[in-house]
Coordinates of all heavy atoms in Angstrom, one line a residue:
S37 N -152.9 -49.8 -258.8 CA -154.1 -49.3 -259.4 C -154.4 -49.9 -260.7 O -155.7 -50.1 -261.0 CB -153.9 -47.8 -259.7 OG -153.7 -47.1 -258.4
F38 N -153.4 -50.1 -261.5 CA -153.6 -50.8 -262.9 C -154.1 -52.2 -262.6 O -155.1 -52.7 -263.2 CB -152.4 -50.9 -263.7 CG -152.4 -51.6 -265.0 CD1 -153.0 -51.1 -265.9 CD2 -151.9 -53.0 -265.1 CE1 -153.2 -51.7 -267.1 CE2 -152.1 -53.6 -266.3 CZ -152.7 -53.1 -267.3
W39 N -153.7 -53.0 -261.6 CA -154.3 -54.4 -261.3 C -155.8 -54.2 -261.0 O -156.4 -55.1 -261.4 CB -153.4 -54.8 -260.2 CG -153.9 -56.3 -259.8 CD1 -153.6 -57.4 -260.4 CD2 -154.7 -56.7 -258.7 NE1 -154.2 -58.5 -259.9 CE2 -154.9 -58.1 -258.8 CE3 -155.2 -55.9 -257.7 CZ2 -155.7 -58.7 -257.9 CZ3 -156.1 -56.6 -256.7 CH2 -156.3 -58.0 -256.8
F40 N -156.1 -53.3 -260.1 CA -157.4 -53.1 -259.7 C -158.4 -52.9 -261.0 O -159.6 -53.4 -261.1 CB -157.8 -52.0 -258.7 CG -157.4 -52.5 -257.2 CD1 -156.4 -52.1 -256.5 CD2 -158.2 -53.6 -256.6 CE1 -156.1 -52.5 -255.3 CE2 -158.0 -54.1 -255.5 CZ -156.9 -53.5 -254.7
V41 N -158.0 -52.0 -261.8 CA -158.6 -51.7 -263.1 C -158.8 -52.8 -263.9 O -159.9 -53.1 -264.3 CB -158.0 -50.3 -263.7 CG1 -158.6 -50.2 -265.1 CG2 -158.2 -49.3 -262.8
Y42 N -157.7 -53.6 -264.1 CA -157.7 -54.7 -264.9 C -158.7 -55.8 -264.4 O -159.4 -56.4 -265.2 CB -156.3 -55.2 -265.1 CG -156.2 -56.6 -265.9 CD1 -156.3 -56.5 -267.2 CD2 -156.0 -57.8 -265.2 CE1 -156.4 -57.7 -268.0 CE2 -156.0 -58.9 -265.9 CZ -156.1 -59.0 -267.4 OH -156.0 -60.0 -268.2
R43 N -158.6 -56.0 -263.1 CA -159.5 -57.0 -262.3 C -161.0 -56.5 -262.7 O -161.8 -57.4 -262.9 CB -159.2 -57.1 -261.0 CG -159.9 -58.4 -260.3 CD -159.5 -58.5 -258.8 NE -160.3 -57.4 -258.1 CZ -160.4 -57.4 -256.9 NH1 -159.9 -58.2 -256.1 NH2 -161.3 -56.5 -256.3
S44 N -161.3 -55.3 -262.4 CA -162.7 -54.8 -262.7 C -163.1 -55.0 -264.1 O -164.2 -55.4 -264.3 CB -162.8 -53.3 -262.3 OG -162.5 -53.2 -260.8
Y45 N -162.2 -54.9 -265.0 CA -162.5 -54.9 -266.4 C -162.8 -56.4 -266.8 O -163.7 -56.7 -267.4 CB -161.3 -54.3 -267.2 CG -161.5 -54.6 -268.7 CD1 -162.4 -54.0 -269.5 CD2 -160.6 -55.6 -269.4 CE1 -162.5 -54.2 -270.8 CE2 -160.8 -55.9 -270.7 CZ -161.7 -55.3 -271.5 OH -161.8 -55.4 -272.8
R46 N -162.1 -57.4 -266.1 CA -162.2 -58.8 -266.5 C -163.5 -59.2 -265.7 O -164.3 -60.1 -266.4 CB -161.1 -59.5 -265.8 CG -159.7 -59.3 -266.6 CD -159.3 -60.1 -267.7 NE -159.5 -61.6 -267.2 CZ -159.4 -62.5 -268.1 NH1 -159.5 -62.3 -269.3 NH2 -159.7 -63.7 -267.7
Q47 N -163.9 -58.7 -264.6 CA -165.2 -59.0 -264.1 C -166.5 -58.5 -264.9 O -167.3 -59.1 -265.0 CB -165.3 -58.5 -262.7 CG -164.3 -59.2 -261.6 CD -164.3 -58.6 -260.3 OE1 -164.8 -57.5 -260.1 NE2 -163.8 -59.4 -259.2
A48 N -166.2 -57.3 -265.5 CA -167.3 -56.8 -266.2 C -167.4 -57.6 -267.6 O -168.5 -57.8 -267.9 CB -166.9 -55.3 -266.5
L49 N -166.2 -58.0 -268.2 CA -166.4 -58.9 -269.2 C -167.1 -60.3 -269.0 O -167.9 -60.7 -269.8 CB -164.9 -59.2 -269.9 CG -164.3 -58.0 -270.7 CD1 -162.9 -58.5 -271.1 CD2 -165.2 -57.8 -271.8
Q50 N -166.8 -60.8 -267.8 CA -167.4 -62.0 -267.4 C -168.9 -61.9 -267.2 O -169.7 -62.8 -267.7 CB -166.8 -62.6 -266.1 CG -167.1 -64.0 -265.8 CD -166.9 -65.0 -266.8 OE1 -165.8 -65.1 -267.4 NE2 -167.8 -65.9 -267.1
V51 N -169.3 -60.8 -266.5 CA -170.7 -60.5 -266.4 C -171.4 -60.4 -267.7 O -172.6 -61.0 -268.0 CB -170.9 -59.4 -265.5 CG1 -172.4 -58.8 -265.6 CG2 -170.5 -59.7 -264.1
S52 N -170.8 -59.7 -268.6 CA -171.4 -59.6 -270.0 C -171.5 -60.8 -270.6 O -172.5 -61.1 -271.3 CB -170.4 -58.5 -270.8 OG -171.0 -58.4 -272.1
K53 N -170.5 -61.7 -270.6 CA -170.5 -63.0 -271.3 C -171.5 -63.9 -270.6 O -172.3 -64.5 -271.3 CB -169.2 -63.7 -271.1 CG -169.0 -65.0 -271.8 CD -167.6 -65.6 -271.4 CE -167.5 -67.0 -272.0 NZ -166.3 -67.7 -271.6
N54 N -171.7 -63.8 -269.3 CA -172.8 -64.6 -268.6 C -174.3 -64.1 -269.0 O -175.1 -64.9 -269.3 CB -172.7 -64.5 -267.1 CG -171.4 -65.3 -266.6 OD1 -170.9 -66.0 -267.3 ND2 -171.2 -64.9 -265.4
Q55 N -174.4 -62.9 -269.2 CA -175.7 -62.3 -269.6 C -175.9 -62.7 -271.0 O -177.0 -63.0 -271.3 CB -175.6 -60.8 -269.4 CG -175.7 -60.3 -268.1 CD -175.6 -58.8 -268.1 OE1 -175.1 -58.0 -268.9 NE2 -176.2 -58.2 -267.0
T56 N -175.0 -62.6 -271.9 CA -175.1 -63.1 -273.4 C -175.5 -64.6 -273.4 O -176.5 -65.0 -274.1 CB -173.9 -62.8 -274.1 OG1 -173.6 -61.4 -274.1 CG2 -174.0 -63.3 -275.5
N57 N -174.9 -65.4 -272.7 CA -175.1 -66.9 -272.6 C -176.6 -67.2 -272.0 O -177.3 -68.0 -272.5 CB -174.1 -67.6 -271.8 CG -172.7 -67.7 -272.4 OD1 -172.7 -67.5 -273.7 ND2 -171.7 -67.9 -271.8
F58 N -176.9 -66.3 -271.0 CA -178.2 -66.4 -270.6 C -179.3 -66.2 -271.6 O -180.3 -66.9 -271.6 CB -178.4 -65.7 -269.1 CG -179.7 -65.6 -268.6 CD1 -180.2 -66.8 -267.9 CD2 -180.6 -64.7 -268.7 CE1 -181.4 -66.7 -267.3 CE2 -181.8 -64.6 -268.2 CZ -182.4 -65.7 -267.5
L59 N -179.1 -65.0 -272.1 CA -180.0 -64.6 -273.2 C -180.2 -65.6 -274.3 O -181.3 -65.9 -274.8 CB -179.8 -63.2 -273.7 CG -179.9 -62.1 -272.8 CD1 -179.6 -60.8 -273.3 CD2 -181.6 -61.9 -272.4
L60 N -179.1 -66.2 -274.8 CA -179.1 -67.3 -275.7 C -179.9 -68.3 -275.4 O -180.7 -69.0 -276.0 CB -177.6 -67.6 -276.3 CG -177.0 -66.6 -277.0 CD1 -175.5 -66.8 -277.1 CD2 -177.6 -66.2 -278.4
A61 N -179.7 -68.8 -274.1 CA -180.3 -70.1 -273.6 C -181.9 -69.8 -273.5 O -182.7 -70.6 -273.9 CB -179.7 -70.4 -272.2
I62 N -182.2 -68.6 -273.0 CA -183.6 -68.3 -272.8 C -184.3 -68.2 -274.1 O -185.4 -68.6 -274.3 CB -183.8 -67.0 -272.0 CG1 -183.5 -67.2 -270.5 CG2 -185.1 -66.4 -272.1 CD1 -184.4 -68.2 -269.8
T63 N -183.6 -67.5 -275.1 CA -184.2 -67.4 -276.4 C -184.4 -68.8 -277.0 O -185.5 -69.0 -277.6 CB -183.2 -66.7 -277.4 OG1 -183.0 -65.3 -276.8 CG2 -183.7 -66.4 -278.8
H64 N -183.6 -69.7 -276.9 CA -183.7 -71.1 -277.4 C -184.9 -71.6 -276.8 O -185.6 -72.4 -277.5 CB -182.5 -71.8 -277.3 CG -182.6 -73.3 -277.6 ND1 -182.6 -73.7 -278.9 CD2 -182.7 -74.4 -276.9 CE1 -182.7 -75.0 -279.0 NE2 -182.8 -75.4 -277.7
E65 N -185.0 -71.6 -275.4 CA -186.0 -72.2 -274.7 C -187.5 -71.7 -275.1 O -188.4 -72.4 -275.1 CB -185.8 -71.9 -273.2 CG -184.8 -72.9 -272.6 CD -185.0 -74.5 -272.6 OE1 -186.1 -74.8 -272.6 OE2 -184.0 -75.2 -273.1
F66 N -187.5 -70.4 -275.4 CA -188.8 -69.8 -275.8 C -189.1 -70.1 -277.3 O -190.2 -70.4 -277.7 CB -188.8 -68.3 -275.8 CG -188.9 -67.7 -274.5 CD1 -188.2 -66.5 -274.0 CD2 -189.7 -68.4 -273.5 CE1 -188.5 -66.1 -272.7 CE2 -189.8 -67.8 -272.3 CZ -189.2 -66.7 -271.9
K67 N -188.1 -70.2 -278.1 CA -188.3 -70.6 -279.6 C -189.0 -71.9 -279.8 O -189.8 -72.0 -280.8 CB -187.1 -70.4 -280.5 CG -186.7 -69.0 -280.7 CD -185.4 -69.0 -281.7 CE -185.4 -67.6 -282.1 NZ -185.5 -67.4 -283.5
T68 N -188.8 -72.9 -279.0 CA -189.2 -74.1 -279.2 C -190.7 -74.3 -279.0 O -191.4 -74.7 -280.0 CB -188.5 -75.2 -278.3 OG1 -187.0 -75.2 -278.5 CG2 -189.1 -76.6 -278.6
P69 N -191.3 -73.9 -278.0 CA -192.7 -74.0 -277.8 C -193.5 -73.0 -278.8 O -194.6 -73.2 -279.4 CB -193.0 -73.5 -276.4 CG -191.9 -73.0 -275.9 CD -190.6 -73.4 -276.7
I70 N -192.9 -71.8 -279.1 CA -193.3 -70.9 -280.1 C -193.4 -71.5 -281.5 O -194.5 -71.4 -282.1 CB -192.7 -69.5 -280.1 CG1 -192.9 -68.8 -278.8 CG2 -193.1 -68.7 -281.3 CD1 -192.1 -67.6 -278.5
A71 N -192.4 -72.1 -282.0 CA -192.5 -72.8 -283.2 C -193.4 -73.9 -283.2 O -194.1 -74.1 -284.3 CB -190.9 -73.2 -283.5
S72 N -193.5 -74.7 -282.0 CA -194.4 -75.7 -282.2 C -196.0 -75.2 -282.2 O -196.8 -75.8 -283.0 CB -194.4 -76.5 -280.9 OG -193.2 -77.2 -280.8
I73 N -196.3 -74.1 -281.5 CA -197.6 -73.6 -281.5 C -197.8 -73.1 -283.0 O -199.0 -73.2 -283.5 CB -197.7 -72.5 -280.5 CG1 -197.7 -73.2 -279.1 CG2 -199.1 -71.8 -280.7 CD1 -197.5 -72.1 -278.0
S74 N -196.9 -72.4 -283.6 CA -197.1 -71.7 -284.7 C -197.4 -72.9 -285.8 O -198.2 -72.7 -286.7 CB -195.9 -70.9 -285.2 OG -196.0 -70.5 -286.5
L75 N -196.6 -73.9 -285.8 CA -196.8 -75.0 -286.8 C -198.1 -75.7 -286.7 O -198.8 -76.1 -287.6 CB -195.6 -76.1 -286.6 CG -195.6 -77.2 -287.5 CD1 -195.5 -76.8 -289.0 CD2 -194.5 -78.2 -287.2
I76 N -198.5 -75.9 -285.4 CA -199.8 -76.4 -285.1 C -200.9 -75.6 -285.6 O -201.9 -76.1 -286.3 CB -200.1 -76.7 -283.7 CG1 -199.1 -77.9 -283.1 CG2 -201.5 -76.9 -283.3 CD1 -199.1 -78.0 -281.7
L77 N -200.9 -74.3 -285.4 CA -202.0 -73.3 -286.0 C -202.1 -73.2 -287.4 O -203.1 -73.3 -288.0 CB -201.8 -72.0 -285.3 CG -201.9 -71.9 -283.8 CD1 -201.6 -70.5 -283.1 CD2 -203.5 -72.2 -283.4
Q78 N -200.8 -73.3 -288.1 CA -200.8 -73.2 -289.5 C -201.4 -74.5 -290.0 O -202.1 -74.6 -291.1 CB -199.3 -73.2 -289.9 CG -198.6 -71.8 -289.8 CD -197.3 -71.8 -290.1 OE1 -196.7 -72.7 -290.7 NE2 -196.6 -70.6 -289.8
T79 N -201.0 -75.7 -289.5 CA -201.7 -77.0 -289.8 C -203.3 -76.9 -289.7 O -203.8 -77.4 -290.6 CB -201.1 -78.2 -289.0 OG1 -199.7 -78.1 -289.1 CG2 -201.7 -79.4 -289.4
I80 N -203.7 -76.4 -288.6 CA -205.1 -76.4 -288.4 C -205.8 -75.3 -289.5 O -206.9 -75.7 -290.1 CB -205.5 -75.8 -286.9 CG1 -205.1 -76.9 -286.0 CG2 -207.0 -75.5 -286.8 CD1 -205.3 -76.6 -284.6
L81 N -205.2 -74.3 -289.8 CA -205.6 -73.4 -290.8 C -205.6 -73.7 -292.2 O -206.5 -73.6 -293.0 CB -205.0 -72.1 -290.6 CG -205.3 -71.2 -289.4 CD1 -204.3 -69.9 -289.3 CD2 -206.7 -70.7 -289.4
K82 N -204.5 -74.4 -292.6 CA -204.3 -74.8 -294.0 C -204.9 -76.3 -294.4 O -204.9 -76.4 -295.7 CB -202.8 -74.6 -294.3 CG -202.3 -73.3 -294.3 CD -200.8 -73.2 -294.6 CE -200.3 -71.7 -294.4 NZ -199.0 -71.6 -294.7
R83 N -205.2 -77.0 -293.5 CA -205.6 -78.4 -293.9 C -207.0 -78.7 -293.5 O -207.4 -78.2 -292.3 CB -204.6 -79.5 -293.3 CG -203.2 -79.3 -293.8 CD -202.5 -80.5 -293.5 NE -201.0 -80.3 -293.8 CZ -200.4 -80.6 -294.8 NH1 -201.1 -81.2 -295.9 NH2 -199.1 -80.3 -295.1
K84 N -207.7 -79.6 -294.2 CA -208.9 -80.0 -293.7 C -208.5 -81.3 -292.9 O -208.2 -82.2 -293.3 CB -209.8 -80.4 -294.9 CG -210.2 -79.2 -295.7 CD -211.2 -79.5 -296.9 CE -211.4 -78.4 -297.7 NZ -212.7 -77.9 -297.7
L85 N -209.0 -81.2 -291.6 CA -208.7 -82.1 -290.5 C -209.9 -82.7 -289.9 O -211.0 -82.0 -290.0 CB -207.8 -81.6 -289.5 CG -206.4 -81.1 -289.9 CD1 -205.9 -80.2 -288.7 CD2 -205.5 -82.0 -290.4
K86 N -209.9 -84.0 -289.6 CA -211.0 -84.5 -288.8 C -211.0 -84.0 -287.4 O -210.1 -83.4 -287.0 CB -210.8 -86.0 -288.7 CG -210.7 -86.8 -290.1 CD -210.5 -88.2 -290.0 CE -210.5 -88.8 -291.4 NZ -209.9 -90.3 -291.2
E87 N -212.2 -84.0 -286.9 CA -212.4 -83.4 -285.6 C -211.5 -84.0 -284.5 O -210.8 -83.2 -283.7 CB -213.9 -83.7 -285.1 CG -214.2 -82.8 -284.0 CD -214.2 -81.4 -284.2 OE1 -214.4 -80.9 -285.3 OE2 -213.8 -80.5 -283.3
E88 N -211.2 -85.4 -284.5 CA -210.3 -85.8 -283.5 C -208.8 -85.3 -283.8 O -208.0 -85.3 -282.8 CB -210.2 -87.5 -283.6 CG -210.0 -88.0 -284.8 CD -211.3 -88.3 -285.6 OE1 -212.3 -87.9 -285.2 OE2 -211.2 -89.0 -286.6
Q89 N -208.4 -85.0 -285.1 CA -207.1 -84.6 -285.3 C -207.1 -83.1 -284.8 O -205.9 -82.7 -284.3 CB -206.9 -84.6 -287.0 CG -206.7 -86.0 -287.4 CD -206.5 -85.9 -288.9 OE1 -207.3 -85.2 -289.7 NE2 -205.5 -86.7 -289.5
K90 N -208.1 -82.3 -285.1 CA -208.1 -81.0 -284.5 C -207.9 -80.9 -282.9 O -207.3 -80.2 -282.5 CB -209.4 -80.2 -284.9 CG -209.4 -79.9 -286.3 CD -210.7 -79.1 -286.6 CE -210.8 -78.7 -288.1 NZ -212.1 -78.0 -288.5
L91 N -208.7 -81.9 -282.3 CA -208.6 -81.8 -280.9 C -207.2 -82.3 -280.4 O -206.7 -81.7 -279.5 CB -209.6 -83.0 -280.4 CG -211.0 -82.5 -280.4 CD1 -212.0 -83.7 -280.1 CD2 -211.3 -81.3 -279.4
K92 N -206.6 -83.2 -281.2 CA -205.2 -83.6 -280.7 C -204.2 -82.4 -281.0 O -203.5 -82.1 -280.0 CB -204.8 -84.8 -281.6 CG -203.3 -85.1 -281.6 CD -202.9 -86.0 -280.4 CE -201.6 -86.5 -280.4 NZ -200.5 -85.6 -279.9
L93 N -204.4 -81.8 -282.1 CA -203.4 -80.8 -282.2 C -203.6 -79.5 -281.4 O -202.8 -78.8 -280.8 CB -203.5 -80.1 -283.8 CG -203.0 -81.1 -284.9 CD1 -203.4 -80.6 -286.2 CD2 -201.4 -81.1 -284.7
S94 N -205.0 -79.3 -281.0 CA -205.4 -78.3 -280.1 C -204.8 -78.7 -278.7 O -204.4 -77.6 -277.9 CB -206.8 -78.1 -280.0 OG -207.5 -77.7 -281.2
S95 N -204.8 -79.8 -278.3 CA -204.4 -80.1 -277.0 C -202.7 -80.0 -276.9 O -202.2 -79.6 -275.9 CB -204.8 -81.6 -276.6 OG -204.0 -82.5 -277.2
D96 N -202.2 -80.4 -278.0 CA -200.8 -80.1 -278.2 C -200.3 -78.7 -278.0 O -199.4 -78.3 -277.4 CB -200.2 -80.7 -279.5 CG -200.3 -82.2 -279.5 OD1 -200.3 -82.9 -278.6 OD2 -200.0 -82.8 -280.7
A97 N -201.1 -77.9 -278.9 CA -200.9 -76.5 -278.7 C -201.1 -75.9 -277.4 O -200.3 -75.0 -276.8 CB -201.7 -75.6 -279.7
L98 N -202.1 -76.4 -276.7 CA -202.4 -76.0 -275.2 C -201.2 -76.4 -274.3 O -200.8 -75.5 -273.5 CB -203.7 -76.6 -274.8 CG -204.2 -76.1 -273.4 CD1 -204.3 -74.6 -273.5 CD2 -205.5 -76.8 -273.1
R99 N -200.7 -77.6 -274.6 CA -199.6 -78.0 -273.7 C -198.3 -77.2 -274.0 O -197.6 -76.9 -273.0 CB -199.2 -79.5 -274.1 CG -198.1 -80.1 -273.1 CD -197.8 -81.5 -273.5 NE -197.0 -81.4 -274.8 CZ -197.4 -82.1 -276.0 NH1 -198.5 -82.7 -276.0 NH2 -196.7 -81.9 -277.0
E100 N -198.0 -76.9 -275.1 CA -197.0 -75.9 -275.4 C -197.1 -74.5 -275.0 O -196.1 -73.9 -274.5 CB -196.7 -75.9 -277.1 CG -196.1 -77.3 -277.5 CD -194.8 -77.5 -277.0 OE1 -194.0 -76.7 -276.8 OE2 -194.6 -78.8 -276.8
T101 N -198.4 -74.0 -275.0 CA -198.6 -72.8 -274.3 C -198.5 -72.8 -272.7 O -197.8 -71.9 -272.3 CB -200.1 -72.4 -274.6 OG1 -200.4 -72.4 -275.9 CG2 -200.5 -71.0 -274.0
R102 N -198.8 -74.0 -272.2 CA -198.5 -74.1 -270.7 C -197.0 -74.1 -270.6 O -196.5 -73.6 -269.5 CB -199.2 -75.3 -270.3 CG -200.6 -75.2 -270.0 CD -201.2 -76.5 -269.3 NE -202.7 -76.5 -269.4 CZ -203.4 -77.5 -270.1 NH1 -202.8 -78.5 -270.4 NH2 -204.7 -77.3 -270.0
R103 N -196.3 -74.8 -271.4 CA -194.8 -74.8 -271.3 C -194.2 -73.5 -271.4 O -193.4 -73.2 -270.6 CB -194.2 -75.8 -272.3 CG -192.8 -76.0 -272.3 CD -192.3 -76.9 -273.3 NE -190.9 -76.9 -273.5 CZ -190.3 -77.1 -274.6 NH1 -190.8 -77.5 -275.7 NH2 -188.9 -77.1 -274.6
L104 N -194.7 -72.7 -272.3 CA -194.2 -71.4 -272.5 C -194.5 -70.5 -271.3 O -193.7 -69.7 -270.8 CB -194.8 -70.6 -273.8 CG -194.2 -69.3 -274.3 CD1 -192.8 -69.4 -274.5 CD2 -195.0 -68.9 -275.6
D105 N -195.8 -70.6 -270.8 CA -196.1 -70.0 -269.6 C -195.3 -70.3 -268.5 O -194.8 -69.3 -267.7 CB -197.6 -70.2 -269.2 CG -198.1 -69.5 -268.0 OD1 -198.0 -68.3 -268.0 OD2 -198.5 -70.0 -267.1
S106 N -194.9 -71.5 -268.3 CA -194.0 -71.9 -267.1 C -192.6 -71.4 -267.4 O -191.9 -70.9 -266.5 CB -193.9 -73.4 -267.3 OG -193.0 -74.0 -266.3
L107 N -192.2 -71.3 -268.6 CA -190.8 -70.6 -268.8 C -190.9 -69.1 -268.4 O -189.9 -68.7 -267.8 CB -190.4 -70.8 -270.3 CG -190.0 -72.1 -270.8 CD1 -189.9 -72.3 -272.3 CD2 -188.7 -72.5 -270.2

Side-chain angles (χ1 to χ4, degrees):
S37 298
F38 178 73
W39 180 78
F40 278 115
V41 169
Y42 177 73
R43 189 179 80 168
S44 297
Y45 174 73
R46 297 270 304 161
Q47 288 173 344
L49 281 179
Q50 186 62 41
V51 167
S52 176
K53 181 180 175 185
N54 290 345
Q55 287 175 338
T56 301
N57 289 341
F58 177 75
L59 287 174
L60 289 172
I62 289 296
T63 302
H64 175 74
E65 289 295 322
F66 282 150
K67 282 184 167 250
T68 302
I70 290 171
S72 295
I73 294 166
S74 178
L75 183 61
I76 289 168
L77 292 174
Q78 287 174 12
T79 302
I80 290 172
L81 289 173
K82 292 183 179 179
R83 301 197 186 259
K84 293 187 185 239
L85 301 170
K86 296 177 184 174
E87 193 61 31
E88 57 270 2
Q89 289 173 317
K90 285 182 183 178
L91 285 173
K92 167 79 171 90
L93 288 172
S94 297
S95 77
D96 289 348
L98 188 58
R99 185 184 72 242
E100 290 298 322
T101 302
R102 286 187 192 122
R103 179 176 169 210
L104 188 57
D105 183 54
S106 175
L107 288 169

